[in-house]
Amino acid sequence: MNTLRLTGRDLDTAADILRRGGLLGIPTETVYGLGANGLDPAAVEHIFEAKGRPQDNPLILHIPSAQWLPRYCEDIPPAAYLLAEQFWPGPLTMILRRRDLVPDVVTAGLDTVGMRCPAHPLCREIIHRAGVPVAAPSGNTSGRPSPTTAAAMLEDMDGKIDGIVDGGPCAVGVESTIVDLTVTPPRLLRPGGVTLEQLRAALGEVAVDSAVTRLMGAGEHPRAPGMKYRHYAPKAPVTVVKGPPAAAAEYIRAHLEPGDGVICFDEYAPLFPGCPLEQLGPSTDVPEQARRVFEALRWFDGTRVKRIWAQCPDDEGIGLAVANRLNKAAGFHIIQV
Ligand code: TXA
Ligand code: MG
């Protein structure tokens, strides 16, 4: 299949691909998504094929506004509208009770569905013109780091999708926050662009699913099925070093061997001359670290490094999301200094 390279001038073509049952690479403010008409089961099947995604991992439905929620969800709690008011359009996905209209292939047979209203203007316009809810996982091959540019998505999807709309680099850089509103108290299933602190300020008590902070054992079933899979991982094994940034950088320097690569904060790059290196941004600029983390992990697949050491922010704010992605890339192989 020839994958069309589209821009903001080709949004009718893009919407047409969705309406015809095709697959479209879509820019969002978090990461690029692999979109299809969420009401067309055959189109949604093709998403799973293109990604090599396990069938038991449900997809998020992308809608243009909270007004569409009652079309696809029932028993919608007031908290959903409160969160939509504050954080939509934006990087927040809510898990709600689904209506029967939503195809089983979207929800992997669950009685709930993830709903998100994205903020990227091109994405919003594509959904508006297509006039259908768009089912879209991140646009990577299953297991690989999520794409934050059109070029990164094409590395995985060129020839497998009908087209991709280039909307520039993603402004947030990590996927949406997922909060389950079908349980009491609401539960954070995946940290992302909307922070746990922001959710607690809006809702009061919010629980954190254990899959956010530790490795799931065999036979455990996290509430977000996707959280149990090895994810975001480059080919070389990753070790995360947590702690005060200077001490973590010094630990890595002391343990570095030939053939190792490093992901570090900008200030510490001079400690690693000649070493394959990706900079995450300044240690104090966590939003910049979120924008760079997936490209940093992806970059090493084009090198011959045998191991990767990574510095990591602490769990405050969007740091929780950056740390979660790095920890998952490392299979929770974490050294605390
Ligand atoms: O920012 C994002 O959310 C991006 C962009 C493209 O919107 N999408 C994204 O989708 O990250 P994906 O498929 O890569 O991750 C969705 C996660 C998976 O871990 C999946 O298991 C979980 O959401 N999920 C989806 N529906 C669910 C449901 N009904 N209950 C629990 N978890 C659900
Ligand atoms: Mg994903």
Side-chain angles (χ1 to χ4, degrees):
M1 170 187 302
N2 173 38
T3 300
L4 294 176
R5 270 65 165 171
L6 305 173
T7 71
R9 289 186 297 277
D10 309 308
L11 298 187
D12 282 328
T13 309
D16 203 47
I17 288 173
L18 292 173
R19 273 197 309 267
R20 282 195 341 255
L23 295 184
L24 182 70
I26 301 180
T28 87
E29 76 279 24
T30 58
V31 301
Y32 275 72
L34 176 43
N37 176 353
L39 300 179
D40 178 343
V44 175
E45 289 281 356
H46 291 140
I47 294 179
F48 287 84
E49 284 159 23
K51 276 184 69 95
R53 182 178 176 104
Q55 292 285 344
D56 69 349
N57 195 0
L59 305 178
I60 295 170
L61 275 189
H62 297 71
I63 56 174
S65 84
Q67 284 174 1
W68 282 34
L69 280 179
R71 298 189 191 178
Y72 311 112
C73 306
E74 55 192 23
D75 300 336
I76 303 168
Y81 290 104
L82 191 128
L83 291 181
E85 183 74 29
Q86 283 194 35
F87 301 114
W88 278 6
L92 178 71
T93 296
M94 303 186 221
I95 306 297
L96 297 165
R97 295 249 164 262
R98 66 180 274 210
R99 282 188 186 277
D100 291 342
L101 172 77
V102 180
D104 278 338
V105 59
V106 171
T107 66
L110 298 176
D111 56 7
T112 57
V113 61
M115 302 297 298
R116 160 155 141 77
C117 173
H120 193 294
L122 294 188
C123 178
R124 296 178 60 69
E125 186 59 26
I126 292 164
I127 299 173
H128 175 73
R129 292 194 197 184
V132 295
V134 175
S138 51
N140 50 288
T141 299
S142 218
R144 288 206 79 203
S146 303
T148 52
T149 62
M153 180 157 173
L154 282 166
E155 276 175 22
D156 289 11
M157 293 298 155
D158 198 8
K160 297 182 178 172
I161 60 178
D162 297 276
I164 180 168
V165 177
D166 191 338
C170 299
V172 178
V174 291
E175 303 91 334
S176 62
T177 303
I178 303 180
V179 63
D180 188 346
L181 296 181
T182 68
V183 291
T184 312
R187 180 177 286 255
L188 178 74
L189 304 187
R190 179 176 72 181
V194 171
T195 66
L196 178 60
E197 294 87 341
Q198 286 175 305
L199 289 178
R200 286 185 169 149
L203 297 178
E205 189 183 0
V206 176
V208 178
D209 201 71
S210 57
V212 172
T213 49
R214 67 175 178 81
L215 192 62
M216 289 285 98
E220 281 189 283
H221 298 286
R223 288 190 68 88
M227 294 293 275
K228 74 172 174 277
Y229 293 106
R230 179 170 178 270
H231 213 326
Y232 313 125
K235 290 176 197 130
V238 180
T239 302
V240 167
V241 183
K242 291 205 82 163
E250 179 49 31
Y251 181 95
I252 295 171
R253 196 199 58 74
H255 291 81
L256 200 67
E257 289 176 12
D260 288 356
V262 173
I263 297 175
C264 70
F265 300 131
D266 291 359
E267 298 93 308
Y268 305 103
L271 288 182
F272 308 104
C275 169
L277 185 87
E278 276 289 282
Q279 295 180 209
L280 267 188
S283 62
T284 49
D285 188 349
V286 191
E288 181 63 12
Q289 296 163 28
R291 281 188 285 274
R292 291 201 201 169
V293 63
F294 283 135
E295 275 297 296
L297 289 166
R298 265 180 181 262
W299 180 78
F300 285 101
D301 282 349
T303 73
R304 293 159 158 236
V305 301
K306 295 196 191 64
R307 299 189 303 180
I308 300 166
W309 298 91
Q311 288 200 272
C312 178
D314 61 29
D315 287 347
E316 263 163 56
I318 197 172
L320 184 65
V322 177
N324 169 263
R325 303 315 188 269
L326 284 167
N327 292 343
K328 291 200 66 159
F332 287 87
H333 186 229
I334 303 165
I335 291 170
Q336 185 77 45
V337 296

